[in-house]
Each structure stands twice: as C-alpha cells, then as structure tokens.
Amino acid sequence: MSAALAGRRLLVSAGPTFEDIDPVRYLGNRSSGKMGFAIASVAAERGAEVTLVAGPVHLATPAGVHRIDVRSAAQMFDAVMGALPCDAYIGAAAVADFTPRAFAGSKLKKVAGTDTLTLELVKTRDILAEVAAHALRPALVVGFAAETDDVATYARGKLERKRVDLVCANRVGVGATGFESDDNALLVLGPGGFERALGPAAKTELAARLLELVAERLA
Ligand code: PMT
C-alpha cells in the first residue's frame, strides 16, 4: 500500500446529523457514512493520521483512525473546529442545513382540533465554509455536494461560495449511487475549470482516487 499521505493529518466528516425535536423525534437524512468512512479508511492505509468526525451511523471504526462520534450539526461543528489544525479537511458528512429553533423537553402531543403542526427551523452553521475561512485553515479544504439535478452547476456554485479547493459532486435521489449504497460516482471540480469524473465505482475505490488528487495537492 502506497504511503502517499505519510505524515499528513487528515480530518474527515461522515454520516448524517440528527437534529432533535423532542425526546423521541428528530430530523435526519439518509447518509449512511459509507463515503466518509471509506475516505478515512483509505487515508489511514496510505499513512495519514486521520481524525473522523462521525454522525450517527452503524459502521465500524476503520483501523488506525481516531473517531469522534457526534449527533447534531452543532456538535459536529464543535468537534471539527476542535480537531484543527490539520493538512486537509474533507467534508463528506450530510450536515443538516436547518435545526429546530427550540428543543421540546417533553414529547410533543397532538392538539385536539388541529391537523397541522408548525416547526420553526433555524439555519445551522456551515462547517465547511467556516473551516475554509478559519485562521487555522487547512492547506486543502474539500467539500461534497449532494445534488438531485444540474449537478455540475450547483457544485461549482458551492466551490466558489464556500471558498474550498475541491468539490466532489454526486447525484442523489436517483439510481443506486449517492446515499446508502456501496457505490457512487463523483464529479470532482476545482478552480480554473478543473473537472474529473470518477466512477461509478465502489466508494472505497472512489476514496482511493480522490485521495490521489488530495496527495498531489499536498505534495
Ligand atoms: O454517507 P453515504 O450514505 O455514503 O452517502 C454519501 C453522501 C451522499 C452523503 C456524500 O457523498 C455527500 O454528498 N456528502 C455531502 C452531503 C451534503 O450535505 O451536501 P450539501 O450539498 O448539502 O453540502 C455541501 C457541503 O457543505 C458538504 O461538504 C457538507 O458537508 C457541507 N456542509 C453543509 C451544511 C452545513 N451546515 N455544514 C457543512 O459543512
């Protein structure tokens, strides 16, 4: 196994976040964590010192990886910021964009005579954008973009808006790639019109190919 990332510190986020509504309900998403765990695993095999910030997933910790488990977007934010500095941050987590304004201490009840329930949501902090703007900004900041349509256009928008070095776009909501599956297809975008299509392939294979791009940029 090549040691292309020997001595490099990589920080990877993976999985969903769960935003609690009350003691029994939460807002979540379909991320299984497989994509981020594959990146952490392959990076450790290639000699990197890897910290993996994981949302609630059912996956074993890859060999040699330091894992920090979190539940909410706010906890993921704190864990990622607390793990800086590093050489590269790879944000593969599906972080909630919104969280309930208030946590209800007891289970929400149906109200007689009302057929609707209104939940007020507030924006979460954008971990990726804040890592990219941080005083301890890693040399390389890599984001993901989960899109249902117009993948390249929206992903290039994220690259520019969030001021990151690479964005890995993947289509979600169609076919057997993206969320939950063992396979995926990535369109990696970078500044100056850089574009590289990876896959469809197993997430471990895509992780290996993405980490080649990362290693080249850290060299
Ligand atoms: O976990 P799997 O089942 O293997 O599925 C993999 C995946 C589809 C979840 C993964 O490949 C992926 O696309 N992850 C990013 C999903 C996502 O939240 O995309 P986004 O377009 O909403 O966010 C763009 C980027 O901003 C992401 O790097 C995300 O981590 C980051 N972000 C978003 C919101 C927020 N509050 N903080 C963030 O850091």
Side-chain angles (χ1 to χ4, degrees), residues 10-14 36-37 40 50-54 62 65-69:
L10 259 67
L11 175 58
V12 181
S13 72
F37 272 59
V50 184
T51 299
L52 172 62
V53 178
V65 167
H66 171 58
R67 172 173 178 173
I68 304 171
D69 284 311

Side-chain angles (χ1 to χ4, degrees), residues 13 15 30-35 89 91-97 124-128 143-147 158 162 170 172 178-181 184 203:
S13 72
R30 290 175 46 195
S31 171
S32 63
K34 286 178 185 173
M35 189 70 245
Y89 171 69
V95 187
D97 290 323
T124 57
R125 293 175 77 171
D126 192 313
I127 302 167
L128 181 66
F144 271 69
E147 310 290 352
K158 281 177 187 164
K162 300 195 186 199
N170 45 194
V172 292
F179 288 115
E180 294 168 323
S181 71
N184 203 3
K203 285 178 178 171

Side-chain angles (χ1 to χ4, degrees), residues 11-219:
L11 175 58
V12 181
S13 72
T17 65
F18 287 176
E19 309 303 316
D20 289 326
I21 297 169
D22 69 15
V24 298
R25 303 182 181 96
Y26 61 85
L27 296 171
N29 64 66
R30 290 175 46 195
S31 171
S32 63
K34 286 178 185 173
M35 189 70 245
F37 272 59
I39 294 168
S41 174
V42 175
E45 284 169 10
R46 297 198 170 178
E49 189 186 312
V50 184
T51 299
L52 172 62
V53 178
V57 296
H58 303 281
L59 294 175
T61 308
V65 167
H66 171 58
R67 172 173 178 173
I68 304 171
D69 284 311
V70 298
R71 180 172 174 83
S72 65
Q75 289 170 358
M76 187 170 277
F77 180 93
D78 289 343
V80 167
M81 296 304 159
L84 295 176
C86 61
D87 296 301
Y89 171 69
I90 304 181
V95 187
D97 290 323
F98 293 93
T99 191
R101 180 180 288 284
F103 172 73
S106 15
K107 187 182 169 195
L108 293 176
K109 299 288 181 208
K110 289 178 203 161
V111 178
T114 313
D115 288 334
T116 60
L117 170 71
T118 303
L119 263 185
E120 194 178 359
L121 305 179
V122 292
K123 254 192 184 165
T124 57
R125 293 175 77 171
D126 192 313
I127 302 167
L128 181 66
E130 293 207 35
V131 167
H134 202 282
L136 296 174
R137 187 194 199 280
L140 198 71
V141 179
V142 181
F144 271 69
E147 310 290 352
T148 51
D149 46 89
D150 225 347
V151 175
T153 311
Y154 285 122
R156 197 157 280 288
K158 281 177 187 164
L159 179 79
E160 283 153 19
R161 215 171 42 252
K162 300 195 186 199
R163 297 175 186 280
V164 299
D165 303 298
L166 290 174
V167 164
C168 308
N170 45 194
R171 176 160 292 195
V172 292
V174 283
T177 58
F179 288 115
E180 294 168 323
S181 71
D182 291 334
D183 297 334
N184 203 3
L186 298 177
L187 178 65
V188 185
L189 303 176
F194 175 84
E195 270 193 38
R196 180 78 52 86
L198 304 180
K203 285 178 178 171
T204 44
E205 172 62 24
L206 294 173
R209 292 171 64 185
L210 173 61
L211 287 168
E212 278 161 23
L213 299 177
V214 167
E216 275 167 32
R217 284 161 176 74
L218 289 178

